[in-house]
Amino acid sequence: MTGEDEDANAGQSESWTVRRLMTEVVGSGPKSAEDMSREQARQALEAIFAGEPDHTTLGGFFVANRWKRNTPEELAAYVDVMREQSVTTAEPSVDPVDCGANYDGKTRSALLGVAAGVVAAAAGTPVVAHSGDYVPMSEGTAYKHVLDELGVETDLAPGESADMVDETGFGFYYQPNFNSTVSDLYERRSALGVRTFLNTVETLANPANADVHLGSFYHLSFAKRIVDTFRESHESDLSRVIMFQGLEGYDDIRPGYTKVAEWEAKASGMEAADAAERDGAELEDYEIQTAEYGMDFEREDLAVENVAGDSATITEEILAGEREDHFADAVALNAAFRMYARDDVDELVDGVESAREVVEDGSAAAVLDDLREFR
């Protein structure tokens, strides 16, 4: 071993408290703050999970991470610690699409992910969604709240969530039950008053160990950061990531001009040489005009007053075939994206056609009935 290697190993074995990271690495301000190594980021989240930092130091660390912006290596370390120490996974027999929408939810427009997931499930594409209750900072409506309004059981243990996927095609994982340590930090995050890196990494928990992640972004640079985070993570093994410019940052695609970002590996569980090919794969981005797929209206047309209640009503009416309006068009396209993400259709237009068919023949409504009866 060379002297240089010894120095590097010595640095990796150092003890880094959150307070020390604040004073020596990340806490000097937006322009002069340094990035952490993977080991430093690991030690930071391990200490946070252990309850070691006092409230002031923890708040400062959260804010420092926000102003300097986390690197994919740092985010990957956070994801790995979360998956190792907090997340309880439960794999269904089928391999679903993991819908990792922002847990802080929506506040202005209808949440259509439940309807889209149910329609996709009826068409043969299993889907998993996960969220907590009200999460900082917007504390808006998330998957759980719409499912509650529909009379679907959401307070499930991870194994029950996996069974729900296998029995109905759609499954919901409840954060306090599968990611309890992160969930327990809610009050500290809420008191801080700003988003933290946990708002990002909790969406990447992947409790079903799905092979495909479907997410959303405001800016393309964020999509690239998420893909690079998955590449850097030692605990995540996905073969495909599809992300689009979601409405309110959620996994409901917005009408109009929409950017899509797509990353695909040749296969999962690769040998070393193939893994290098995966890590070198480029993120592809392209635009779609949603009017070409039936979404010929404006974002404002999807606005609702009571997001949870109205979204549930709209979902039930669409699945029953009682609506043929812009909400139904939006659900068909969002369902198609879930089918496309899993490679169950080659083109979005095929997915839209399948979505309309399962609504018309009653299959989608039957999945909702099965969800209501599950437990």
Side-chain angles (χ1 to χ4, degrees), residues 35-113:
D35 294 327
M36 291 176 287
S37 68
R38 177 188 292 271
E39 180 60 25
Q40 288 170 332
R42 280 193 62 92
Q43 289 189 31
L45 192 54
E46 287 172 347
I48 291 168
F49 281 178
E52 294 175 7
D54 62 74
H55 289 177
T56 302
T57 302
L58 176 58
F61 185 75
F62 278 149
V63 172
N65 273 257
R66 180 174 173 81
W67 71 40
K68 83 167 196 65
R69 296 190 181 182
N70 286 118
T71 65
E73 185 178 36
E74 291 168 342
L75 291 172
Y78 294 151
V79 169
D80 287 349
V81 172
M82 177 183 67
R83 295 253 310 164
E84 292 165 3
Q85 298 188 12
S86 181
V87 174
T88 300
T89 60
E91 296 184 25
S93 298
V94 297
D95 187 15
V97 174
D98 173 66
C99 292
N102 293 329
Y103 283 14
D104 45 2
K106 301 178 78 173
T107 60
R108 302 183 302 276
S109 59
L111 191 153
L112 303 176

Side-chain angles (χ1 to χ4, degrees), residues 23-311:
T23 58
E24 297 184 26
V25 185
V26 301
S28 59
K31 294 184 178 179
S32 57
E34 296 180 8
D35 294 327
M36 291 176 287
S37 68
R38 177 188 292 271
E39 180 60 25
Q40 288 170 332
R42 280 193 62 92
Q43 289 189 31
L45 192 54
E46 287 172 347
I48 291 168
F49 281 178
E52 294 175 7
D54 62 74
H55 289 177
T56 302
T57 302
L58 176 58
F61 185 75
F62 278 149
V63 172
N65 273 257
R66 180 174 173 81
W67 71 40
K68 83 167 196 65
R69 296 190 181 182
N70 286 118
T71 65
E73 185 178 36
E74 291 168 342
L75 291 172
Y78 294 151
V79 169
D80 287 349
V81 172
M82 177 183 67
R83 295 253 310 164
E84 292 165 3
Q85 298 188 12
S86 181
V87 174
T88 300
T89 60
E91 296 184 25
S93 298
V94 297
D95 187 15
V97 174
D98 173 66
C99 292
N102 293 329
Y103 283 14
D104 45 2
K106 301 178 78 173
T107 60
R108 302 183 302 276
S109 59
L111 191 153
L112 303 176
V114 173
V118 169
V119 170
T125 297
V127 172
V128 159
H130 43 97
S131 77
D133 294 294
Y134 291 98
V135 176
M137 286 313 302
S138 68
E139 299 193 345
T141 294
Y143 274 109
K144 179 183 188 301
H145 309 121
V146 177
L147 289 165
D148 287 342
E149 290 282 343
L150 287 167
V152 176
E153 179 63 50
T154 56
D155 189 4
L156 302 170
E160 293 175 315
S161 298
D163 291 341
M164 177 185 274
V165 182
D166 285 330
E167 291 186 23
T168 72
F170 179 92
F172 175 76
Y173 288 68
Y174 183 38
Q175 187 192 45
N177 295 342
F178 79 84
N179 197 359
S180 59
T181 308
V182 170
S183 182
D184 289 344
L185 288 166
Y186 167 79
E187 289 187 6
R188 297 307 315 145
R189 296 164 64 186
S190 181
L192 184 62
V194 298
R195 289 172 59 89
T196 73
F197 60 81
L198 291 176
N199 288 69
T200 297
V201 301
E202 66 191 354
T203 67
L204 311 182
N206 193 10
N209 285 336
D211 197 40
V212 176
H213 175 79
L214 182 74
S216 65
F217 61 87
Y218 283 111
H219 304 290
L220 186 60
S221 59
F222 180 79
K224 185 178 188 307
R225 190 177 308 165
I226 295 303
V227 166
D228 289 343
T229 295
F230 279 128
R231 284 171 167 167
E232 293 280 351
S233 171
H234 298 157
E235 292 293 321
S236 300
D237 183 21
L238 292 101
S239 68
R240 196 175 198 195
V241 177
I242 304 284
M243 302 184 73
F244 51 74
Q245 286 176 309
L247 192 59
E248 293 190 64
Y250 217 72
D251 59 357
D252 294 339
I253 196 166
R254 61 187 184 186
Y257 163 91
T258 297
K259 178 76 76 172
V260 180
E262 186 173 327
W263 174 83
E264 184 171 7
K266 298 300 182 184
S268 60
M270 303 174 182
E271 299 296 334
D274 291 333
E277 181 180 349
R278 176 197 66 186
D279 292 341
E282 292 298 323
L283 177 72
E284 297 182 5
D285 64 272
Y286 50 92
E287 299 99 30
I288 64 169
Q289 295 289 337
T290 55
E292 298 177 6
Y293 301 94
M295 292 177 69
D296 191 12
F297 46 87
E298 303 298 324
R299 298 178 219 173
E300 293 75 14
D301 294 324
L302 298 179
V304 293
E305 293 184 7
N306 179 343
V307 178
D310 292 347
S311 297

